[in-house]
Structure formats: C-alpha cells, structure tokens
Amino acid sequence: MSPRMGLDLPTILQKAGEIVDEKGLDHLSLGELARRLQIRTPSLYNHIEGLEALRQKLAIHGLHNLHERMVYAAVGRSGDEAVRALSEAYVSFARNHPGLYDATFRAPETDDPELQQAQHKVVELVVQVLQVYGLKDEAALHTVRGFRSILHGFASIELAGGFGLPLDLDKSFLLLIDTFLAGIHSGTSN
Amino acid sequence: MSPRMGLDLPTILQKAGEIVDEKGLDHLSLGELARRLQIRTPSLYNHIEGLEALRQKLAIHGLHNLHERMVYAAVGRSGDEAVRALSEAYVSFARNHPGLYDATFRAPETDDPELQQAQHKVVELVVQVLQVYGLKDEAALHTVRGFRSILHGFASIELAGGFGLPLDLDKSFLLLIDTFLAGIHSGTSN
DNA sequence: TGTGAAAACTAATGTAATTAGTTATTATAA
DNA sequence: TTATAATAACTAATTACATTAGTTTTCACA
C-alpha cells in the first residue's frame, strides 16, 4: 500500500478558498478549481466527491479558521472586553475572507458530524465568554443566540454591500456591540 | 398594437416565488419554472432576460411584500411597541417565505434603481419608527444599521437551521429585541 | 375579416458536473 | 534493481441548464 502521491486536501481547500474569496461562493466551479491546480476537472473526483462535498469541506475549513482567530482574540480577556475582541475578530474574518465566511454560513444542510462539530466549537466559545455575566440557564442560551444574530447580521449585510451610506462601519459595529452589552447590563436578560 | 396575450410578469413571479420557497433560491431554474407554467424554457425569454434578471425581479417582488407587511404591522403604533411589531413582521415574513426572503437579500449586485428603491423603502420605514427615540443624526443611522443587523441576523440564522437547540425561538427573538431596546434607552447610543 | 406584433415553439450551442473506463506513476516488496 | 499494486490523473461520453437563432402560431384590433 503506497501508490503515487498527488494533490492533498489542504492544497485543494487553499485554492478553493482563494477562488471563493475572489469571485464569491456562487462562482466556485470544479472547472476553475482544476485549472488553477493544473489538473483536469474529473481528476478532482479522486480527492472529493463533487461540488457539494467541496463546499462542505470549505465550510469546515472556514469554521476552523474563524474559531482560531476568535480564540486568539479572546484569550487573556474577559467580560465586555472579551466580547468586543471576539466581535472584532468575527467581522475581521468576514472582511478578509468574504467567500470563506459565506461558505461557513451557507453550508448545505447536512448531518456531517465534522461540520456540526466545527460549528459547535464557535458557539461554545461564545458561550464561555458570556458566562461571566452570570445569566441564568435559559437566559444564557437566548443571549448567545442574540449575540450570534448580531455578529452574523452585521457581517453579512456589510459583505453584501447592504449598508449604502458613507458612514463609518466600525463605528456602527462598535456602537451595536456596546448597545447590546448595555442591554445585558440593564438586566433585561434575566 | 395588440398581439396575443400570454403570460404576465406577476404570474411568473408568483410561480418563481413558490419554487424558491419550496426548494430554495439555489434550486430555482428556468427549466423548472417553465415546466410549472406549462411552457418551454426559451419562451420565458419573451418575458424576462434570463435567470439573473428573474432573481432580481424576485428580490424586488419580495421587498415589496416585506415592506407591505412591515407597514401594516407598524401602523397605529409607536416607540417600543412599534419596534416590536416591525420585528415580528420581519421574521414572520422570513419564516413564511424563506426563499423569497433569501432572494431579497442575495440580490445580485446591481444598480437597478427599482431594486434600490425597494430596499430603500424598507430602510426608510425603520428610520421613521426609530425617530421617536430622538437619536442625534449619526447616532440614528448607526442605530438603524444595528437594528437591521439584528433582524437579518436572527432571521437568516433561523432559516439556515443554525439555532440547533430545542429552545423557544420566539422567546430568543423577543429577548434580543428587548435587550437592544434597553441598550438604546440606556443612552449608550448618544 | 385580415394582419402584424408578440407569444410560444423547435433546433442548436456552450458550459459545467458527473460517470466510466484507461493510462501513468511511484512507493514499496521481492 | 526490478516488479507490482494502489491510485492519481487522463480522455471520452452523458446529462442538465442557460441561452440564442430562427420559425410558427395566435389573437386583439383596424
């Protein structure tokens, strides 16, 4: 057992990530990917099961990256400071890797445990950071949902170019996070 | 001037909306649409310029619907009550018309004035409802951005099935809106 | 009742995903 | 050093769409 060594998955995902960040998730095609890898399209099937599987793996790849950056941002901080750091890392990732971010969100419905695991790790990180606010059981879960909504909502509208006005985006985002934090501190969430 | 009367655009958008709500925006194809309209695919080109144009028109169609429901929900209310009504109408629309909602958001980049107009009307409505909080100039615009982020973030994560836990979604959403409102009232936004 | 504008059609082209079956390469076993 | 088995990569063929060109059909009105 030890046949010829060809492409490996990391290389493929790397290139696919480049395509997707350049041209958008919807313009990822096996043809373009193969061209950039200097092979013929059908050869890709030796490594991945098809376009849908590629998107799936790309989503997992993106989630790993996102998680890594969020952990790095949050480490050594707590409370509001940690929340702000986490938030900034999140939108930062979306800005630097718009296609990959999109892939993490628009992953096809599936019960792929690896994908679920990757999603879960990001959620878990948020749960941990919010723990310091001492929210009771259910309230904590609702609050995590709210926080995720804010992060994804802002990031995706920004990426879609949905904020038309020439008004500072970072300011909008910081204010949003602070407004949310103020709401939490006001005790509404208990 | 008065040749034979065939399909009209409303009928086409109606059927396209059905497809998209059933199978998702990515599964909208001219073939499927033509089949349901009982015509051959190329005949569609007598009414629309192609798949991309169809998506565009679908986005406008969806935005009109969304706006209508939001207006209806907000009328006769003001302040927090109006904000809650608006919010509920928004997620309600997304739940009842997932594909159409997706179309409104993932409209192809374009400078189609009709699309921009339709988007603008929704934003304007939110601006008006938030006016009662007397936020100063810039602060008001940042707050609208925040509110939109919350609405879209929650709606799209819910549609994507991203909230895994068996925890009441309406409760999460109401709490999120109330937390945001509490943040606004706390004066963070000034 | 005739007609012309536009709806709908058939046929053809181009692109992309996917499958089947073949060839080429190379890490190890002999 | 050489043989071979595992598998990467290839060519050829199929299928599904979107789109274009060119033809036929229909029907509201003059």
Side-chain angles (χ1 to χ4, degrees), chain A residues 15-26 28 58 98-100 103:
Chain A
K15 271 277 182 287
E18 287 172 19
I19 293 174
V20 128
D21 282 340
E22 276 173 35
K23 332 209 313 187
L25 184 59
D26 292 326
L28 174 64
L58 206 53
L100 210 47

Side-chain angles (χ1 to χ4, degrees), chain A residues 153-176:
Chain A
F154 190 93
S156 61
I157 296 179
E158 176 177 344
L159 289 193
F163 296 131
L165 306 163
L167 182 66
D168 191 311
L169 283 164
D170 291 314
K171 226 182 227 173
S172 292
F173 187 60
L174 290 178
L175 182 67
L176 173 56

Side-chain angles (χ1 to χ4, degrees), chain A residues 9 12-13 16 28-31 33 41-58 108:
Chain A
L9 197 57
I12 292 177
L13 291 180
L28 174 64
S29 74
L30 294 180
L33 178 58
T41 308
S43 306
L44 283 170
Y45 285 79
N46 288 314
H47 303 277
I48 44 169
E49 289 110 59
L51 184 58
E52 213 174 300
L54 174 62
R55 291 232 217 169
Q56 196 120 304
K57 294 212 187 301
L58 206 53

Side-chain angles (χ1 to χ4, degrees), chain B residues 9-178:
Chain B
L9 196 56
T11 305
I12 292 176
L13 292 180
Q14 156 75 23
K15 269 278 182 284
E18 286 173 18
I19 292 174
V20 128
D21 282 340
E22 275 173 35
K23 331 209 315 186
L25 185 57
D26 292 325
H27 292 86
L28 174 64
S29 74
L30 295 180
E32 169 84 6
L33 177 57
R35 202 170 310 122
R36 294 206 194 187
L37 291 168
Q38 320 235 44
I39 58 174
R40 300 313 178 105
T41 308
S43 307
L44 283 169
Y45 285 80
N46 288 314
H47 303 277
I48 45 168
E49 289 109 59
L51 184 59
E52 213 172 301
L54 174 62
R55 290 232 217 170
Q56 197 121 302
K57 295 212 188 300
L58 205 53
I60 295 166
H61 175 65
L63 284 164
H64 284 324
N65 277 303
L66 174 60
H67 179 258
E68 189 177 48
R69 282 152 207 252
M70 286 175 79
V71 166
Y72 184 75
V75 74
R77 305 177 204 258
S78 74
D80 291 3
E81 210 195 333
V83 169
R84 289 195 194 94
L86 222 54
S87 305
E88 213 247 299
Y90 190 98
V91 298
S92 225
F93 176 77
R95 284 171 182 164
N96 291 136
H97 298 284
L100 210 48
Y101 177 75
D102 209 18
T104 67
F105 189 75
R106 285 171 49 200
E109 312 265 0
T110 181
D111 36 1
D112 177 348
E114 199 183 346
L115 176 60
Q116 293 185 334
Q117 163 77 2
Q119 290 168 332
H120 192 249
K121 274 176 71 181
V122 174
V123 174
E124 267 314 300
L125 177 59
V126 175
V127 168
Q128 273 185 43
V129 167
L130 291 184
Q131 222 147 41
V132 68
Y133 296 110
L135 298 165
K136 296 276 174 226
D137 311 320
E138 278 209 11
L141 298 174
H142 290 304
T143 303
V144 172
R145 284 182 172 177
F147 189 44
R148 288 178 62 203
S149 299
I150 287 174
L151 295 181
H152 171 65
F154 190 93
S156 61
I157 296 179
E158 177 177 343
L159 290 193
F163 295 132
L165 306 164
L167 183 65
D168 191 311
L169 283 164
D170 291 314
K171 225 182 226 175
S172 292
F173 187 60
L174 290 178
L175 183 66
L176 172 55
I177 299 300
D178 281 353

